[in-house]
Amino acid sequence: MINAVGREIPGEILKKTGKEPFQGAYAYDNHEYKKAAPTVRALCDPGRSKMVENIREALVKCGIRDGMTLSFHHHFREGDYVVNMVMEEIHKMGIRDLTICASSLGKANDPIVPYIEDGTITGIQSSGVRGKIGEAISTGRLRDLAIMRSHGGRVRAVESGEVHIDIAFIGAPTCDEYGNMRANGGKSDCGVLSYAMVDAEYADKVVALTDCLVPFPNVPASISMVHVDYVCVVDEIGNPAKIATGAAKPTTDVRKIMMADYCTQFVIHTPYFKEGFSYQTGVGGASIASTISLGKIMEERGIHMGLGLGGITTPMCELLEKGLIKKIVDTQDFDLGAIESIKRNPDHIEISASEYANPFNKGAFVNKLDFVILASLEVDVDFNCNVVVGSDGMITGAQGGHPDTAAGAKCTIVIAPLLQGRIPAICTRVTTVTTPGETVDVVITDYGIAINPRRQDLIECMKDVDLPFCTIEELRDKAYAMVGEPDPVQFDDRIVGVIEARDGTIIDVVRQIKEYEFS
C-alpha cells in the first residue's frame, strides 16, 4: 500500500505489525484512546527492603524469563555502561528471545551485538541505533523487525499500551534506598532523566541502578520511589565525559559556520523572530553555531527568547546565563556545560519526554515552538528527510525528536551540506523517509536555500532578503552536476526494520543490504 509520502508499505508488514500506513502528519489529531497501566506490587511492610546485592539478584526478583521486553534510557549517550552490564548478566543466565526497548542505542552498546547473533536479543525498538548494532540490523542478524520511533513516538507507544515493558533498568546518578532517583549530585551526572520517566511509570518492574547511594529522601526526585521496585548499587553507571561526543560539539568548519549564518539571517527575517519567541536546535555543528550567531543578534536588538527547548547544549545555557532566554525546558543534556547549568539555574527545568513531544497527550511543548533548527543525512525534492539510514543503506542514526519538533514548529529549518563527502545530501528520493516533507519548511545548504512551496508566506517575506535562494530541485541538480547521480543502494527483499511516524503509523521500511546475506 502506498502511504502519504509515496512509500510502498507491503501488506505483510502491515499485517505483521498491526499498523496502518502513514496518512499525514496530523491525521490523528483528536484521536482518543485509553492509557495502559502497569502491574504494581504493593509495599505495605515498612521493614521490607528494596536493596539488592547485585544485578543478578534484581533479575531473579523481577522474574526474568524468556520473551520479555526490557527498557533502558540513553542519557549517558556514548558513556553508557548500564545496557552492557545488564545484558551481560542476562546472557550468563541463559535467558533468550528478549526485546530491547531503548530510548536510543549507540556505539557504547556495541558489546551486545553477540547477544543479537546468538538469539538472546531478538527484537530492538529504539529511536535509532549507531555503530555495530545498526550494522547487525542492516545485515539481517536481528531475528525480528527493528522498530524505530521518535522520542515522542516512543512515549506514545508505551503510554498507549502498544509496547509493554516488563522490566525497566534506569541508571540513576544518585538514588536513595527507597528508589528516589535524581540526575545529578553523584559521580556520573547526566543532567536529566526525562526519557526514563515513562519507563518508570509504565513498566511492571523498575530497577534503579546507581553508583552513588545517598541518604533518604533524595528529593526533589526526577523519578519517585513510588515507581521503583529494587535498588542496586554498581561500581559505575556511565562516563559523563563521553556525553559530548560526535555531533554534540561546536564546529570550527567554515562551511558549517556559513550555513549557520544563513540560518540566522533567515530566522531574523521571519515574523516569528520577536520578543518571547521559542526555539530549539539540534546538536549538529551548524545547528549549534546558529544558536551562537543568533544570540549575538538577540543581544544587539534586545530580543529575548521566551522558551529554549529540547536537547540542550552549552551555547543555549550561556544565553540563559546572559538573561537572553527566560526559561529552558530540558529532556536531554548533550554536554557537561548543560549538566552544570541545570544544577545551578532555577530557570533550567527538567521535563518528561511525554511533556516534550508525545503526540497523543493533550498538548506537548513541541507544539509551542516557533523555530526548530535540525540536521539531516538526506533531503529529497519533496522535502522529506532521512536521519536514520545512511546513503549506503546502513542504519546509522536516530529519529530523536526530529519528526516531533518538525511537526510542532511554526518554522522548521533543516541545515545540510549539499554533499556529504562525495554523496549528494539533496536528492530526488531519500533512502528512507523519517520526517515527512509537509513538516519541513526550509532547507539551508552551503550552495543555497530552498523554501518549501507549501510556505508561500515565508517565500513572500523573504523576497527582498539578500540570501542565495533557489528551488530544492536546483539544489539537487547542483549536487548531481558536481558528483553525479548516485546509483541506488541495492537492497534484498527482506525487511529488517520499520520507521514509525510519531503517531504509530508506518512511514517507511528498511530492507537488508543486498551484499550482506546471511543464512
Side-chain angles (χ1 to χ4, degrees), residues 394-409:
M394 197 74 73
I395 298 173
T396 187
Q399 290 192 64
H402 201 284
D404 302 309
T405 53

Side-chain angles (χ1 to χ4, degrees), residues 99-372:
T99 294
I100 302 299
C101 179
S103 51
S104 200
L105 294 166
K107 293 178 182 177
N109 308 124
D110 283 353
I112 72 170
V113 168
Y115 309 149
I116 294 172
E117 294 170 338
D118 71 9
T120 301
I121 299 168
T122 52
I124 288 177
Q125 302 183 20
S126 178
S127 167
V129 291
R130 295 177 171 88
K132 294 187 182 299
I133 302 174
E135 182 180 323
I137 295 168
S138 297
T139 55
R141 285 176 274 170
L142 182 71
R143 190 193 72 184
D144 297 338
L145 286 172
I147 300 176
M148 308 297 177
R149 299 186 177 97
S150 69
H151 289 325
R154 180 179 186 269
V155 179
R156 172 205 54 76
V158 174
E159 290 190 1
S160 67
E162 179 183 316
V163 174
H164 180 75
I165 300 169
D166 294 298
I167 310 173
F169 297 91
I170 301 175
T174 60
C175 186
D176 63 33
E177 64 178 5
Y178 231 44
N180 291 301
M181 291 182 257
R182 296 185 66 201
N184 299 304
K187 60 183 182 180
S188 303
D189 293 353
C190 60
V192 296
L193 288 173
S194 306
Y195 298 133
M197 292 177 183
V198 69
D199 305 53
E201 292 178 14
Y202 286 84
D204 285 345
K205 294 288 189 293
V206 176
V207 179
L209 297 170
T210 189
D211 53 14
C212 186
L213 191 69
V214 297
F216 178 89
N218 188 31
V219 291
S222 298
I223 294 173
S224 170
M225 60 189 178
V226 303
H227 302 302
V228 179
D229 295 276
Y230 300 106
V231 178
C232 180
V233 178
V234 298
D235 291 337
E236 290 181 300
I237 55 174
N239 180 356
K242 291 187 176 181
I243 290 174
T245 58
K249 293 180 181 178
T251 185
T252 57
D253 185 298
V254 174
R255 182 179 61 165
K256 291 179 180 178
I257 291 172
M258 179 180 69
M259 291 189 291
D261 289 341
Y262 286 165
C263 179
T264 297
Q265 289 302 310
F266 191 95
V267 165
I268 66 174
H269 284 94
T270 67
Y272 312 121
F273 182 66
K274 57 187 177 182
E275 180 66 20
F277 74 99
S278 56
Y279 176 92
Q280 178 174 338
T281 182
V283 294
S287 298
I288 292 175
S290 70
T291 301
I292 295 171
S293 61
L294 183 65
K296 294 175 182 176
I297 293 177
M298 290 167 59
E299 198 163 13
E300 291 169 1
R301 298 189 181 183
I303 291 177
H304 301 83
M305 189 186 301
L307 170 67
L309 180 62
I312 302 301
T313 58
T314 296
M316 286 283 280
C317 299
E318 290 173 345
L319 296 182
L320 180 69
E321 291 295 327
K322 290 180 179 179
L324 293 172
I325 300 179
K326 295 178 181 178
K327 298 285 183 184
I328 286 178
V329 293
D330 187 348
T331 53
Q332 185 175 13
D333 291 320
F334 286 111
D335 57 34
L336 299 181
I339 292 172
E340 290 304 312
S341 172
I342 199 167
K343 291 179 185 179
R344 67 173 183 266
N345 196 318
D347 291 322
H348 187 161
I349 301 159
E350 178 183 35
I351 61 170
S352 72
S354 185
E355 291 173 295
Y356 169 55
N358 181 1
F360 277 17
N361 64 21
K362 297 181 181 181
F365 270 99
V366 294
N367 294 346
K368 302 300 289 182
L369 277 171
D370 290 315
F371 301 100
V372 64

Side-chain angles (χ1 to χ4, degrees), residues 7 31 38 68 131 142 170 194 233 248 250 257 343 382 385-386 435 484:
R7 296 297 169 121
H31 172 70
M68 278 188 160
L142 182 71
I170 301 175
S194 306
V233 178
I257 291 172
K343 291 179 185 179
D382 294 315
C385 291
N386 167 29
T435 299

